[in-house]
Amino acid sequence: MQASDPGQKMRMDILHRDAEQKIFEKLRTHNWSEKIEREFPDGLIISAERGGHRHTIALIYSSATDNKIYKSLAAEVEHIFINGQPYLVEQFTQGVTKPVGSVDDFHEVLLEWNRVSADGKFVPDGQEMAPVADPTILRPRLLLSDEPIEAIWLRLRQLQSVTLARKMIEARAAAEHVALGVDKMQSKAQGVAYALRNASDYFQARDGQPFSQRVLNLYYGSLSFAFAEMLAAPRGAKALSDIEDSTKAGHGLYTVDGVSDGLEQIVVGVLPAGFFPAWAKTMGTQITQFPDSKPRRYSELVSAPEHSWLTIESLFASIPELSDLFSNIFTAKPRWIMPVYDQTANRGMSLFGDQKPVTRSYVLLVDDTGRVTKEDIALFPGPISEIGEVPPEGGGRHFRVAVEHPSEKLWWDSLHVHHSPFQQNALILPIFGVIGEYRAISVVLLYALSIIVRYRPSIWRRVQEGDLDHMRVIIDAFLAVVERILPEQFLAKVTGQQIVAKHSGSFF
């Protein structure tokens, strides 16, 4: 073969490519080992072996090959394949005693090889198998059910068994390469089981309970879920008593009356001690914006650190599932945005990077309310740049941004995107400057509502049956969202697995 002949090099490159796709991949699938015995101008001699059975074939570029070459190959191989359609093959193969056909027919030949080489009912052992995936990796779990929330609670109830909770903790510790002693494993398992039993008691006591009690139950049930999350983490709390000690300093949150009358302007802030900052630390987030002392009135918030507090209105603005109600009730900006892949800006690029590794993708950030500005977009976390507004399709405001991401990942892996059964994609602005976890945002809002229920009857009765009854509507909607989403999110955090719960007939 002459290296200086570009045409022949091109043909051999095609032969190698097609041999891989049409022959070698099929052989490896059925435990055959393959080898190119030799190359000749516009052709390959290929051998395959399995279980002591050996076969040799030829693959040639074109049926228009000299008859002498056909006869020479026939003396060496048992089958000659043509890479393409065997046009006028009879004219070139006169006197050739071995079968000649298209490489597209190789599969039928392989089936006969498989039949003859089978070891009774078994496939002969192939070559050395590739390393098996690490069995300690916690794989995603897809839960299909006519009632997805029931499938979630079924798994949560299983972990109310100390024995099954321990098995889960052992799996997580192995996956994260953390050594846990027998006593620590047992105390963690007991704590997880007890905390989840409490969470179930609170969350599933809905029938006939008053609206006020529902708020309190969901808050304390969420705290129990958070206890279980902290205990299930291999590097988290060692025992339930450790978490109970953190609660002796309180919830780690506080409320202050707002600048004006009403529920929505009540302020919620974070403190340096208590349960919430301890939970945030377990989530890998260190809250540093603490006030020097607990504020007692709104005027004292002026000197409080930036991002150490926000209003109930802002918390509602951080729940994407309440978008329609929020925009009807409030005039404030939402604290979330919907990211969508920008087909126009990425035109000619592969979404999945199958042509050339893609490390920058363009994404549309959609605000249906039309209240968000590009300056607001700049506050959202993640590797976002090139922020610019573009004409919207269907109303609202659209912003095109560039998102940097590693070549082996997709753009949404670089953004902390929230998904739920009620909201496909949402990028949420963190509360307290650093808390972007949806379940934590929901717990802070539940805390604020529980404080109003317990200690501010003058406001709560107005919500129940007075001039603030519009707030009851959005609170009721929020509680329904909590009941569906938080058990799923906490199940994922407790088990360390990605959980997807869908209706059994859903596309996924």
Short mmCIF file of all heavy atoms in Angstrom, two decimals, residues 351-374:
data_model
loop_
_atom_site.label_atom_id
_atom_site.label_comp_id
_atom_site.label_asym_id
_atom_site.label_seq_id
_atom_site.Cartn_x
_atom_site.Cartn_y
_atom_site.Cartn_z
N LEU A 351 -26.10 19.99 21.33
CA LEU A 351 -26.51 20.11 22.72
C LEU A 351 -25.75 19.15 23.60
O LEU A 351 -25.38 19.45 24.71
CB LEU A 351 -28.02 19.85 22.83
CG LEU A 351 -28.63 19.76 24.24
CD1 LEU A 351 -28.39 21.05 24.99
CD2 LEU A 351 -30.10 19.42 24.16
N PHE A 352 -25.50 17.94 23.09
CA PHE A 352 -24.87 16.91 23.90
C PHE A 352 -23.38 16.77 23.61
O PHE A 352 -22.73 15.85 24.05
CB PHE A 352 -25.56 15.56 23.67
CG PHE A 352 -26.98 15.57 24.15
CD1 PHE A 352 -28.03 15.76 23.26
CD2 PHE A 352 -27.27 15.42 25.48
CE1 PHE A 352 -29.33 15.78 23.72
CE2 PHE A 352 -28.58 15.44 25.94
CZ PHE A 352 -29.60 15.61 25.05
N GLY A 353 -22.82 17.70 22.85
CA GLY A 353 -21.38 17.70 22.65
C GLY A 353 -20.86 16.48 21.92
O GLY A 353 -19.74 16.05 22.14
N ASP A 354 -21.69 15.86 20.99
CA ASP A 354 -21.25 14.64 20.33
C ASP A 354 -20.39 14.92 19.11
O ASP A 354 -19.79 14.01 18.55
CB ASP A 354 -22.47 13.79 19.94
CG ASP A 354 -23.48 14.57 19.09
OD1 ASP A 354 -23.31 15.80 18.97
OD2 ASP A 354 -24.42 13.95 18.59
N GLN A 355 -20.32 16.17 18.68
CA GLN A 355 -19.47 16.48 17.55
C GLN A 355 -18.13 17.02 18.04
O GLN A 355 -17.08 16.57 17.61
CB GLN A 355 -20.16 17.53 16.66
CG GLN A 355 -21.47 17.02 16.06
CD GLN A 355 -22.24 18.13 15.38
OE1 GLN A 355 -21.81 19.28 15.36
NE2 GLN A 355 -23.39 17.81 14.84
N LYS A 356 -18.16 17.93 18.94
CA LYS A 356 -16.96 18.53 19.50
C LYS A 356 -17.31 18.98 20.92
O LYS A 356 -18.40 19.49 21.15
CB LYS A 356 -16.52 19.73 18.66
CG LYS A 356 -15.22 20.37 19.14
CD LYS A 356 -14.86 21.55 18.26
CE LYS A 356 -13.57 22.21 18.75
NZ LYS A 356 -13.21 23.38 17.92
N PRO A 357 -16.44 18.73 21.87
CA PRO A 357 -16.78 19.11 23.25
C PRO A 357 -17.23 20.56 23.36
O PRO A 357 -16.57 21.47 22.87
CB PRO A 357 -15.47 18.86 24.00
CG PRO A 357 -14.77 17.82 23.20
CD PRO A 357 -15.12 18.10 21.77
N VAL A 358 -18.38 20.76 23.99
CA VAL A 358 -18.95 22.10 24.17
C VAL A 358 -18.74 22.51 25.63
O VAL A 358 -19.10 21.78 26.54
CB VAL A 358 -20.45 22.11 23.82
CG1 VAL A 358 -21.05 23.48 24.11
CG2 VAL A 358 -20.65 21.74 22.36
N THR A 359 -18.15 23.66 25.83
CA THR A 359 -17.89 24.14 27.19
C THR A 359 -18.62 25.45 27.48
O THR A 359 -18.52 25.95 28.60
CB THR A 359 -16.39 24.34 27.42
OG1 THR A 359 -15.89 25.29 26.47
CG2 THR A 359 -15.64 23.03 27.26
N ARG A 360 -19.32 25.99 26.50
CA ARG A 360 -20.11 27.20 26.72
C ARG A 360 -21.41 27.07 25.93
O ARG A 360 -21.40 26.82 24.74
CB ARG A 360 -19.35 28.44 26.27
CG ARG A 360 -20.22 29.70 26.22
CD ARG A 360 -19.48 30.92 25.79
NE ARG A 360 -18.61 31.41 26.86
CZ ARG A 360 -18.24 32.68 26.97
NH1 ARG A 360 -18.64 33.56 26.09
NH2 ARG A 360 -17.46 33.06 27.94
N SER A 361 -22.51 27.22 26.65
CA SER A 361 -23.82 27.15 26.01
C SER A 361 -24.59 28.43 26.32
O SER A 361 -24.40 29.04 27.37
CB SER A 361 -24.61 25.94 26.52
OG SER A 361 -23.96 24.73 26.21
N TYR A 362 -25.48 28.78 25.39
CA TYR A 362 -26.32 29.96 25.60
C TYR A 362 -27.70 29.51 26.09
O TYR A 362 -28.28 28.54 25.59
CB TYR A 362 -26.42 30.78 24.32
CG TYR A 362 -25.15 31.53 24.04
CD1 TYR A 362 -24.17 30.97 23.22
CD2 TYR A 362 -24.89 32.76 24.62
CE1 TYR A 362 -22.97 31.63 22.98
CE2 TYR A 362 -23.71 33.44 24.39
CZ TYR A 362 -22.75 32.88 23.57
OH TYR A 362 -21.56 33.53 23.35
N VAL A 363 -28.19 30.22 27.10
CA VAL A 363 -29.43 29.85 27.77
C VAL A 363 -30.31 31.09 27.86
O VAL A 363 -29.82 32.20 28.09
CB VAL A 363 -29.13 29.31 29.19
CG1 VAL A 363 -30.41 29.01 29.94
CG2 VAL A 363 -28.26 28.05 29.10
N LEU A 364 -31.60 30.90 27.67
CA LEU A 364 -32.57 31.98 27.89
C LEU A 364 -33.09 31.88 29.32
O LEU A 364 -33.49 30.81 29.78
CB LEU A 364 -33.75 31.85 26.92
CG LEU A 364 -33.48 32.21 25.46
CD1 LEU A 364 -34.73 31.96 24.63
CD2 LEU A 364 -33.02 33.65 25.32
N LEU A 365 -33.07 32.99 30.03
CA LEU A 365 -33.66 33.09 31.36
C LEU A 365 -34.96 33.86 31.22
O LEU A 365 -34.97 35.04 30.85
CB LEU A 365 -32.69 33.77 32.32
CG LEU A 365 -31.34 33.06 32.51
CD1 LEU A 365 -30.48 33.82 33.52
CD2 LEU A 365 -31.53 31.62 32.95
N VAL A 366 -36.05 33.19 31.50
CA VAL A 366 -37.39 33.71 31.19
C VAL A 366 -38.09 34.17 32.46
O VAL A 366 -38.18 33.43 33.45
CB VAL A 366 -38.24 32.63 30.49
CG1 VAL A 366 -39.64 33.14 30.21
CG2 VAL A 366 -37.55 32.16 29.21
N ASP A 367 -38.58 35.41 32.43
CA ASP A 367 -39.39 35.97 33.52
C ASP A 367 -40.76 36.32 32.95
O ASP A 367 -40.92 37.30 32.23
CB ASP A 367 -38.73 37.23 34.09
CG ASP A 367 -39.68 38.02 34.99
OD1 ASP A 367 -40.49 37.38 35.68
OD2 ASP A 367 -39.60 39.26 34.98
N ASP A 368 -41.77 35.51 33.27
CA ASP A 368 -43.11 35.73 32.72
C ASP A 368 -43.77 36.98 33.28
O ASP A 368 -44.69 37.51 32.68
CB ASP A 368 -43.99 34.51 33.01
CG ASP A 368 -43.62 33.31 32.15
OD1 ASP A 368 -43.04 33.52 31.07
OD2 ASP A 368 -43.90 32.17 32.57
N THR A 369 -43.31 37.45 34.46
CA THR A 369 -43.96 38.62 35.06
C THR A 369 -43.51 39.93 34.40
O THR A 369 -44.17 40.95 34.53
CB THR A 369 -43.65 38.71 36.56
OG1 THR A 369 -42.25 39.02 36.76
CG2 THR A 369 -43.98 37.40 37.26
N GLY A 370 -42.36 39.92 33.75
CA GLY A 370 -41.83 41.13 33.15
C GLY A 370 -41.26 42.11 34.15
O GLY A 370 -41.03 43.28 33.83
N ARG A 371 -41.00 41.68 35.39
CA ARG A 371 -40.53 42.59 36.44
C ARG A 371 -39.02 42.53 36.67
O ARG A 371 -38.46 43.42 37.30
CB ARG A 371 -41.25 42.25 37.75
CG ARG A 371 -42.76 42.37 37.67
CD ARG A 371 -43.44 41.86 38.95
NE ARG A 371 -44.90 41.86 38.81
CZ ARG A 371 -45.73 41.39 39.74
NH1 ARG A 371 -45.23 40.88 40.87
NH2 ARG A 371 -47.03 41.41 39.54
N VAL A 372 -38.36 41.49 36.20
CA VAL A 372 -36.94 41.29 36.45
C VAL A 372 -36.11 42.07 35.43
O VAL A 372 -36.46 42.15 34.25
CB VAL A 372 -36.59 39.79 36.39
CG1 VAL A 372 -35.09 39.55 36.49
CG2 VAL A 372 -37.31 39.04 37.51
N THR A 373 -35.00 42.64 35.87
CA THR A 373 -34.10 43.38 35.00
C THR A 373 -32.80 42.60 34.80
O THR A 373 -32.53 41.63 35.51
CB THR A 373 -33.77 44.75 35.60
OG1 THR A 373 -32.98 44.56 36.79
CG2 THR A 373 -35.04 45.53 35.92
N LYS A 374 -31.98 43.06 33.86
CA LYS A 374 -30.70 42.37 33.65
C LYS A 374 -29.78 42.53 34.85
O LYS A 374 -28.94 41.66 35.12
CB LYS A 374 -30.03 42.86 32.37
CG LYS A 374 -29.58 44.30 32.37
CD LYS A 374 -28.91 44.64 31.04
CE LYS A 374 -28.39 46.07 31.03
NZ LYS A 374 -27.75 46.39 29.73
#
